[in-house]
Amino acid sequence: MAANRTLTIIKPDAFGAGKAGKIIAHLEAGGFRVVAARVMRLSTAQAGEFYAVHKGRPFYGELVEFMTSGECMPMILEKADAVLALRDAIGATDPAQAAEGTVRKLYAESKGRNAIHASDSDENAARESRFFFAEADCVRG
Ligand code: CMP
């Protein structure tokens, strides 16, 4: 059975532009519950570790630079089949390709500055959630 929690990050472009509240409201209206949240500025080491899977890709340097350029907002979200549900809700990586009504269609600027991250598997959701949060940071039940 698919897990019911996933990890998202409201990225520095959206957080810095004051879009966090609208994005959270949009996700809550879509049935997601926020079970953990924080505001932080990633260090270069943290961003490099979080995106280690993309090391060697042409956009890796740009990605780390962008993700450390301002505050971001990691959150753990809860909904049935959370990973798939959130990926549907945020839309394609490139906002130009994202479906109407998705977070990226509504709030992202470009493929690089694309407003929001979502885990791509249950395994990565668990790993990424542990990266930012301890069990005690999450609501219980
Ligand atoms: P996300 O899926 O959250 O995590 C990996 C990120 O790499 C992705 O969002 C984009 O922001 C970024 N990314 C992927 N492809 C490109 C690209 N071609 N140019 C710049 N950034 C990219």
Side-chain angles (χ1 to χ4, degrees), residues 11 51 54 59 62-63 87 93 104 111-114 116-118:
K11 295 185 180 182
Y51 285 112
H54 295 303
F59 57 83
E62 190 185 317
L63 176 60
R87 291 194 76 82
T93 303
R104 284 174 173 157
K111 197 189 268 187
R113 298 170 63 85
N114 66 354
I116 190 164
H117 166 87

Side-chain angles (χ1 to χ4, degrees), residues 3 10 26 41 46 50 61 80 83 86 91-92 97 105-106 108 111 121 126 130-131 134:
I10 297 178
H26 183 88
R41 186 163 184 166
Q46 284 173 316
F50 187 81
V83 166
L86 186 62
Q97 312 289 326
K105 185 71 175 186
L106 290 165
K111 197 189 268 187
S121 66
R130 282 196 304 272
F131 187 90

